[in-house]
Amino acid sequence: MVTIISISNGKSSITVFIIFCCILLHLPDIQAATPPNFSFDGFNLTQDGDSLEFIGSGTSIDNGALQITPDTTNNDPSLHNQFGRIMYKHPFNMWLSDEIQASFNSDFVINIFRNTAPAWNAGEGLAFLIAPDLSIPDASYGQWLGLTNAINDGKQTNRIVAIEFDTEKQDYDPNDNHIGLNINSVNSTATFSLDDYNIKLSPEVPANYRVWVHYNGTSKVMEVYMVKDGQPKPEKPLLSKTINLKEYVNQKSYFGFAASTGNPQIELNCVLKWSLEIDDLQKKSDLLWLKIGAGVGVPLVTLLILCGVLYLYKRKRRGGGGDEESKALGTQLRWLPGMPREFKYKDLKKATNNFHESMMLGQGGFGVVYKGILQDKDHKTSTEIAVKKFSRDIIQSKDDFLAELTIIHRLRHKHLVRLVGWCYEKGKLLLLYDFMLNGSLDKHLYEASNQNTLNWRRRYRILADVASALHYLHNEYDQKVVHRDLKASNILLDSDYNARLGDFGLARALDNERNSYAELGLAGVPGTMGYVALECFHTGRATPESDVYGFGAVVLEVICSRSPGISNIEEAVDERLGNDYVADEANKLLLLGLACSHPIASDRPQTQDIFQIKSGTMPVPNVPPFKPAFTWPSMVTAFSGRDITLASTTFSS
Ligand SMILES: *[C@@H]1O[C@H](CO)[C@@H](O)[C@H](O)[C@H]1NC(C)=O
Ligand SMILES: *[C@@H]1O[C@H](CO)[C@@H](O)[C@H](O)[C@H]1NC(C)=O
Ligand SMILES: *[C@@H]1O[C@H](CO)[C@@H](O)[C@H](O)[C@H]1NC(C)=O
Ligand SMILES: *[C@@H]1O[C@H](CO)[C@@H](O)[C@H](O)[C@H]1NC(C)=O
């Protein structure tokens, strides 16, 4: 250490860094050392034992193979009702989002052995397994295949996906010689009988079989190929099934094998070779550290110099390993089907006059929006765009960015702001949208400089446009999407005052409970006071009904030009309109706005009802004559196509 300090005398930060390197060197088992590939061409305990986890008392490496259940040909009870797992010790990153999932190929050779003298009754089976941890359920023998047990079978919390090689027929099995895709259960989601395919999993004359399991993270298709070892890989898979792995397995998961025997069904469950290639979704920057960690044998001084140089290099680049990571994420983004054009950061910098204040259009969720002017090559034409520059630091906003992208790049509707491009460079995230000439709705409602730009017809049409966008998100798109932050400043107006809904920074697809506010990792509820439905504060959950609440607030603002919170209806209509409004329409809209603001979520109109603004056939909602008593907790209904009968009433205050 003395030497170290004198080398770096006067540069305390380098000293700290070097000491950190030393600490790293003394922690050789630091987790991140995961290679993205591995290959075992036969197994040797001395060489391979450290990278594998043996779970269950009968597991071993024997005869150059993994023995998932005891390796003995004695026909003794030690082979009855056994179960075990052998897993690769390091986890892999399986996915980043629905869109970005790791593709993998695993290739292995198995041998399921049964004795002929005395003749064994073969059972129960072997499985290739993706699991959330390095444990095994209790009593997973017999039909449970080392995968589940009588208590947890079929539970979503198992987080396992497996390919079974099943040698014993249960009620739910086609026969005693099949493969199957198992999701959290030994009752397979898909099976293929090997009887007609000239394969006997547990033959009387021992045979090795080679298996390929492929998962395509883009198409989400899992395929299983199988032949007698030595034969070429067949053209067609035996089993092919579309499965969104992200729904079933943990982000960090382990690969390996599980197997079981029964009583009297017994067999030896052996894996002779195994390799895995998987897309590397790890942070590349971590790997840099690892390489340093791996060089334990290199003389210390060399290493320290390396560390120092590296540090200075990284410091110079600023954003550190972000560059590598950008590349990795950039590649993933390019894979997203239907992604719009990718832009270079330097071009956007130029287009926005170095992100100058004078080009600022506004501040949206997670970032600042600038106007940009893109010149074509010969400077003859230019295109105006809106550039949203994400403001939070890279790790945080990477998730926001992906969330926003995976949703919006697939949404297409004429009343949604169109995404036209993206850029991800050196840890800087930017999204490009169509430029909307007339800016956001709130400016027209509240800013003095925009007096009288919105006549009654325009106001009515804006609400109809927003209603149709909301209808698209909630009911017409193939996933239900909640906007989460519906408010006047997120409604943008083009040159003809057509409205488009923007800023999907908070939108998430409505499945798997992923629409939780809490998940965003923000303190409290993101969204804007006055627009966020009451129930969101205690359920922490955005729903189509909470979007309807936000819409109600917008309706009241558009009619009244006042922030949400005021509702003295007699003088409600914006005085700037004078007599320029249709009393019947105004009345209906005000009632609709109030109905949408109902504290009980289930009593709000449905998006389908709101949508009828467009055709002018909107029923008049039933608004209670008194402000409803505060309800706690308010009821959040499941989103359903439930019909609401809206009684026609005349309003009286
Ligand atoms: C993993 O395997 C793939 C395919 O063989 C190869 O392209 C990639 O470079 C390998 N990665 C490493 C780190 O060995
Ligand atoms: C396993 O590998 C070690 C070290 O390379 C070697 O000494 C040993 O003979 C091998 N064992 C077998 C069974 O091949
Ligand atoms: C197996 O799953 C199917 C549906 O996938 C179900 O119909 C059947 O009842 C299950 N069988 C058992 C024994 O759980
Ligand atoms: C994965 O699926 C995508 C989309 O169907 C396809 O374009 C791609 O070629 C597939 N990848 C492999 C390795 O088959």
Side-chain angles (χ1 to χ4, degrees):
M1 276 305 169
V2 175
T3 343
I4 299 160
I5 288 163
S6 69
I7 293 173
S8 54
N9 193 20
K11 290 202 171 164
S12 57
S13 54
I14 291 191
T15 311
V16 169
F17 182 82
I18 288 172
I19 290 171
F20 179 53
C21 282
C22 296
I23 292 169
L24 240 178
L25 284 176
H26 289 104
L27 293 170
D29 57 346
I30 234 163
Q31 264 289 320
T34 318
N37 296 351
F38 61 76
S39 177
F40 297 102
D41 191 20
F43 294 87
N44 174 325
L45 189 60
T46 325
Q47 288 171 9
D48 307 322
D50 284 350
S51 51
L52 298 165
E53 185 80 14
F54 297 81
I55 310 156
S57 55
T59 53
S60 66
I61 288 179
D62 215 359
N63 289 320
L66 301 179
Q67 309 286 339
I68 321 290
T69 47
D71 179 29
T72 169
T73 47
N74 300 331
N75 189 22
D76 66 26
S78 67
L79 207 42
H80 289 159
N81 283 345
Q82 296 292 324
F83 58 105
R85 287 183 184 179
I86 298 180
M87 307 294 292
Y88 192 70
K89 226 180 212 169
H90 298 290
F92 292 90
N93 251 330
M94 304 299 293
W95 43 263
L96 293 178
S97 66
D98 267 328
E99 301 295 326
I100 302 176
Q101 300 198 17
S103 297
F104 63 79
N105 294 328
S106 190
D107 177 352
F108 49 90
V109 176
I110 59 170
N111 182 304
I112 297 177
F113 177 83
R114 68 158 148 163
N115 224 352
T116 43
W120 287 357
N121 186 354
E124 297 271 345
L126 169 70
F128 170 73
L129 168 69
I130 306 172
D133 53 36
L134 297 172
S135 70
I136 192 167
D138 294 334
S140 187
Y141 52 78
Q143 62 178 313
W144 310 114
L145 300 180
L147 297 175
T148 60
N149 63 25
I151 294 164
N152 75 8
D153 190 68
K155 296 236 161 81
Q156 289 199 350
T157 46
N158 293 346
R159 311 298 286 167
I160 61 163
V161 169
I163 304 295
E164 65 168 30
F165 302 86
D166 197 337
T167 56
E168 175 70 17
K169 180 176 170 7
Q170 307 294 341
D171 294 346
Y172 44 82
D173 286 332
N175 59 20
D176 63 357
N177 186 40
H178 65 272
I179 58 174
L181 170 65
N182 294 5
I183 302 175
N184 295 323
S185 168
V186 290
N187 182 1
S188 308
T189 302
T191 57
F192 180 86
S193 164
L194 297 169
D195 280 355
D196 318 324
Y197 193 67
N198 211 13
I199 285 182
K200 180 73 183 159
L201 282 173
S202 54
E204 289 181 7
V205 179
N208 295 346
Y209 295 106
R210 184 163 174 194
V211 179
W212 294 262
V213 177
H214 295 338
Y215 178 67
N216 183 329
T218 310
S219 63
K220 306 190 177 48
V221 173
M222 188 171 280
E223 294 176 336
V224 184
Y225 299 78
M226 186 169 180
V227 290
K228 205 164 223 173
D229 192 24
Q231 290 176 2
K233 182 177 166 186
E235 302 239 309
K236 284 202 178 131
L238 274 54
L239 199 70
S240 174
K241 181 88 185 161
T242 305
I243 158 179
N244 182 354
L245 268 191
K246 177 169 180 283
E247 287 182 14
Y248 304 110
V249 303
N250 279 5
Q251 184 165 30
K252 278 209 184 327
S253 290
Y254 298 83
F255 285 86
F257 296 89
S260 71
T261 62
N263 185 4
Q265 301 83 353
I266 50 175
E267 64 189 23
L268 306 188
N269 293 293
C270 318
V271 177
L272 285 71
K273 295 179 182 179
W274 181 26
S275 72
L276 178 79
E277 287 166 9
I278 178 164
D279 287 345
D280 184 13
L281 304 182
Q282 304 266 95
K283 282 185 206 104
K284 296 279 163 85
S285 53
D286 286 351
L287 289 178
L288 203 59
W289 287 101
L290 284 197
K291 281 181 195 145
I292 299 169
V296 181
V298 182
L300 187 64
V301 175
T302 317
L303 227 142
L304 292 179
I305 292 169
L306 180 71
C307 288
V309 169
L310 246 170
Y311 173 76
L312 288 177
Y313 173 77
K314 288 182 76 169
R315 200 164 76 147
K316 201 172 140 212
R317 308 275 316 223
R318 278 216 69 103
D323 200 31
E324 278 288 301
E325 193 181 336
S326 293
K327 272 190 200 142
L329 184 63
T331 313
Q332 290 153 12
L333 289 173
R334 269 167 229 132
W335 291 346
L336 288 183
M339 265 306 272
R341 190 175 146 200
E342 180 182 359
F343 284 81
K344 283 201 158 50
Y345 184 76
K346 76 173 189 336
D347 294 337
L348 297 180
K349 200 168 145 181
K350 202 167 139 200
T352 56
N353 195 5
N354 202 6
F355 299 103
H356 195 268
E357 229 174 278
S358 62
M359 303 294 269
M360 220 171 114
L361 294 172
Q363 201 134 9
F366 308 118
V368 180
V369 184
Y370 297 90
K371 178 178 178 176
I373 299 166
L374 290 171
Q375 303 282 353
D376 76 348
K377 289 220 168 63
D378 49 15
H379 290 266
K380 284 202 180 110
T381 54
S382 62
T383 317
E384 291 174 323
I385 45 155
V387 182
K388 179 168 170 188
K389 190 169 184 236
F390 283 65
S391 54
R392 288 206 268 140
D393 68 57
I394 171 166
I395 301 300
Q396 284 256 322
S397 59
K398 192 174 99 181
D399 293 341
D400 298 338
F401 181 68
L402 285 173
E404 176 151 10
L405 263 193
T406 51
I407 304 252
I408 60 175
H409 89 275
R410 289 177 301 166
L411 295 169
R412 306 259 185 285
H413 190 268
K414 73 175 177 178
H415 296 299
L416 294 179
V417 175
R418 195 168 61 106
L419 179 73
V420 294
W422 62 279
C423 166
Y424 186 85
E425 258 178 58
K426 301 193 181 94
K428 292 194 178 66
L429 312 171
L430 301 107
L431 292 184
L432 281 65
Y433 299 96
D434 271 340
F435 177 70
M436 303 291 281
L437 191 69
N438 278 311
S440 59
L441 174 62
D442 60 329
K443 296 210 165 75
H444 296 272
L445 294 176
Y446 304 120
E447 280 183 10
S449 55
N450 285 315
Q451 284 292 341
N452 304 327
T453 51
L454 296 182
N455 62 24
W456 179 254
R457 287 266 63 89
R458 274 183 186 159
R459 290 184 196 220
Y460 191 91
R461 209 176 58 204
I462 286 166
L463 292 177
D465 291 349
V466 175
S468 73
L470 214 52
H471 183 57
Y472 170 75
L473 294 177
H474 291 178
N475 302 315
E476 292 179 332
Y477 184 57
D478 60 3
Q479 260 176 311
K480 292 188 192 312
V481 174
V482 274
H483 184 280
R484 293 171 158 255
D485 197 17
L486 186 57
K487 58 180 175 184
S489 61
N490 279 338
I491 295 167
L492 298 154
L493 305 174
D494 71 9
S495 52
D496 289 328
Y497 291 90
N498 295 305
R500 292 204 205 175
L501 201 45
D503 209 343
F504 289 78
L506 298 170
R508 295 265 165 123
L510 239 191
D511 58 339
N512 272 349
E513 306 280 309
R514 272 185 293 110
N515 56 331
S516 159
Y517 279 117
E519 212 188 43
L520 285 168
L522 301 176
V525 178
T528 310
M529 277 302 260
Y531 296 93
V532 174
L534 286 174
E535 70 270 14
C536 294
F537 287 98
H538 58 94
T539 63
R541 178 100 57 86
T543 58
E545 286 85 0
S546 60
D547 274 357
V548 165
Y549 185 96
F551 180 77
V554 170
V555 170
L556 296 178
E557 280 181 279
V558 167
I559 313 287
C560 317
S561 291
R562 262 168 258 177
S563 290
I566 302 166
S567 60
N568 182 355
I569 223 167
E570 289 185 325
E571 301 155 355
V573 176
D574 186 356
E575 54 193 23
R576 283 180 296 178
L577 282 168
N579 286 329
D580 167 31
Y581 66 93
V582 182
D584 180 48
E585 285 175 356
N587 208 30
K588 276 188 179 177
L589 285 175
L590 281 169
L591 287 169
L592 179 72
L594 286 174
C596 292
S597 311
H598 201 290
I600 299 173
S602 59
D603 285 350
R604 290 172 203 152
Q606 301 235 306
T607 319
Q608 293 96 304
D609 306 323
I610 292 171
F611 180 51
Q612 293 175 32
I613 297 178
K614 195 148 188 124
S615 55
T617 58
M618 150 192 67
V620 180
N622 188 2
V623 176
F626 305 103
K627 189 178 172 190
F630 185 61
T631 50
W632 185 278
S634 70
M635 308 300 291
V636 183
T637 55
F639 193 64
S640 64
R642 191 173 42 97
D643 286 325
I644 281 188
T645 11
L646 293 169
S648 195
T649 60
T650 41
F651 182 83
S652 66
S653 59

